[in-house]
Amino acid sequence: MLKPGEKKLTGKQKAAIVLVALGAETAAKVLPHLSDTEVEELSLEIARLGSVPAEVRQQVITEFYEVCLAQNLALEGGLDHAREMLERAYGPERAQMILEKLIRAMQMLPFDSIKRVHPAQLSTFLQDEHPQTIALVLAYLDPQAAAAVLSSLPPELRPEVAERLATMGSTPPEVIRRVENVLQRKLSSLASQELTAAGGVKSLVEIIQWVDRNTERMIFDYLTDNNPELAEEVRKLMFTFEDLLQLDDRAIQQVLKEVDMKELALALKGASDALKDKIFRNMSERAVNMLKEELEFMGPVRVRDVEEAQQRIVSIVRRMEEAGEIVISRGGEEEMLI
């Protein structure tokens, strides 16, 4: 049983209290306007409520009324208009508290279910939408997820979406909700196989192989914090230039046949001594001397150029693996040969 002042109620608990207070008939008319996930979560909260003291119920309903009033005022004339009207009715301090609740609600609710879709899948889903709609969705995504979606859109679409995102003003909540409902219906109607084919771990790995080191670290830090299992799965599929150490001598020799000497020298500028030694061991004495000479006279080079050279060699390794020409041992497991 909830008691006055016992603890701070969550947004879901407050929403459940409001629905109960509205009565079964009115609440039934509200639920169809919510997503399936929201209905499930609110149903669970209602089941957990038990008895709600009259004082608690009145506080929640009053807060609900004030936020609704602020939203209506914002729709009529923007936040500044809402602030002015609320200050006249409640005073500056109370008006500020009401507006903060309104802003939090507007920021947390839109596109909540869409946020759970993988960025690569989301870009495939959104690319046929109007650029303004895409920009609106990106505005409510986490910046990293929004960047991933934007990068995955067709090249000709990216500039217009970026421009609309930059020039977007405040969007009325009712417009956001309408767009969200349309997108949710479309998303639920698509076959999961169709979306999965456009993304997945393999797709993410292929993208990461070509991003700069800083972006790669950011992605792995995020995955490690938010989805450790996925991070480990991606790591098992990832192959970096330094992972050439995992290849046996025969595989190294095969790869070296496909790599230009100057490209290899540039890539080795950023390699560990262990990897350099492994490369040298699998080359003829004459080739090693030529490579060392190339490294010595190369001089300072841009880190970006080194990373791009390494990425091109990694692409050769991955192509050879897919063709069955070499075998890469992943995840610390030994490959079984017969």
Side-chain angles (χ1 to χ4, degrees):
M1 175 178 173
L2 295 173
K3 298 179 180 179
E6 182 181 22
K7 64 177 180 178
K8 186 176 181 180
L9 297 173
T10 66
K12 291 177 185 177
Q13 287 176 323
K14 292 177 181 178
I17 290 172
V18 169
L19 281 177
V20 171
L22 288 174
E25 185 177 350
T26 304
K29 296 177 181 178
V30 174
L31 293 179
H33 297 280
L34 304 177
S35 69
D36 292 345
T37 301
E38 289 169 338
V39 171
E40 292 170 0
E41 291 175 346
L42 283 175
S43 298
L44 183 60
E45 288 298 337
I46 291 173
R48 290 172 172 171
L49 276 181
S51 300
V52 180
E55 182 181 342
V56 174
R57 183 170 64 250
Q58 187 59 47
Q59 288 173 353
V60 172
I61 292 174
T62 299
E63 180 181 338
F64 177 71
Y65 167 77
E66 291 173 346
V67 172
C68 287
L69 175 62
Q71 180 170 310
N72 289 335
L73 290 171
L75 289 175
E76 291 172 6
L79 285 176
D80 289 339
H81 171 73
R83 184 185 302 277
E84 181 182 351
M85 295 297 100
L86 290 170
E87 284 180 353
R88 290 182 183 179
Y90 299 103
E93 187 176 343
R94 182 64 179 169
Q96 181 62 29
M97 290 175 60
I98 295 171
L99 283 173
E100 286 176 356
K101 291 175 183 177
L102 172 63
I103 292 171
R104 283 198 300 271
M106 292 170 63
Q107 289 177 338
M108 291 173 61
L109 294 179
F111 307 108
D112 188 52
S113 60
I114 293 176
K115 291 175 186 176
R116 291 189 281 270
V117 179
H118 190 282
Q121 296 177 340
L122 187 54
S123 66
T124 301
F125 169 68
L126 288 174
Q127 65 184 10
D128 293 327
E129 298 295 330
H130 191 281
Q132 186 69 27
T133 300
I134 301 175
L136 181 61
V137 174
L138 294 186
Y140 284 94
L141 291 180
D142 176 88
Q144 188 173 6
V149 173
L150 184 62
S151 299
S152 300
L153 293 173
E156 67 276 7
L157 188 58
R158 296 172 200 164
E160 185 175 359
V161 172
E163 180 185 15
R164 288 176 180 271
L165 181 60
T167 58
M168 182 182 298
S170 58
T171 305
E174 61 183 22
V175 174
I176 295 174
R177 175 63 75 178
R178 188 160 58 244
V179 172
E180 182 182 17
N181 288 340
V182 171
L183 292 179
Q184 284 178 344
R185 285 196 296 270
K186 288 185 177 180
L187 189 61
S188 62
S189 67
L190 292 176
S192 60
Q193 295 87 345
E194 180 181 347
L195 290 175
T196 303
V201 176
K202 184 177 180 181
S203 177
L204 177 60
V205 168
E206 290 173 352
I207 293 171
I208 292 177
Q209 296 282 15
W210 287 97
V211 301
D212 60 85
R213 294 287 176 84
N214 186 51
T215 302
E216 180 182 321
R217 283 193 293 269
M218 287 176 60
I219 292 173
F220 271 110
D221 288 345
Y222 178 83
L223 289 178
T224 301
D225 291 340
N226 294 277
N227 195 330
E229 293 80 8
L230 178 60
E232 182 60 27
E233 190 175 354
V234 171
R235 282 194 182 93
K236 287 181 179 180
L237 290 178
M238 279 291 294
F239 187 90
T240 66
F241 185 72
E242 200 65 28
D243 289 333
L244 285 170
L245 284 167
Q246 297 177 11
L247 301 183
D248 59 27
D249 289 346
R250 177 176 172 276
I252 287 287
Q253 293 162 18
Q254 288 180 281
V255 171
L256 290 176
K257 292 178 183 178
E258 305 290 329
V259 178
D260 177 79
M261 184 65 71
K262 290 186 176 181
E263 182 99 309
L264 179 60
L266 180 58
L268 287 177
K269 288 285 284 187
S272 65
D273 291 338
L275 180 55
K276 289 178 182 177
D277 290 342
K278 180 154 190 170
I279 296 294
F280 294 154
R281 288 201 309 270
N282 284 281
M283 302 175 68
S284 66
E285 185 177 350
R286 178 173 175 274
V288 170
N289 291 333
M290 290 176 59
L291 181 57
K292 288 183 176 180
E293 190 173 299
E294 186 74 36
L295 280 166
E296 183 179 351
F297 290 102
M298 183 176 294
V301 293
R302 295 188 305 174
V303 172
R304 179 179 178 181
D305 292 336
V306 173
E307 291 179 351
E308 288 178 351
Q310 292 178 347
Q311 288 166 351
R312 285 191 287 270
I313 294 175
V314 166
S315 293
I316 292 174
V317 173
R318 295 181 70 244
R319 174 178 55 77
M320 294 179 70
E321 185 200 20
E322 290 175 0
E325 299 173 18
I326 61 174
V327 175
I328 299 175
S329 177
R330 289 190 170 86
E333 298 178 358
E334 295 185 0
E335 294 289 344
M336 183 178 294
L337 302 179
I338 57 173

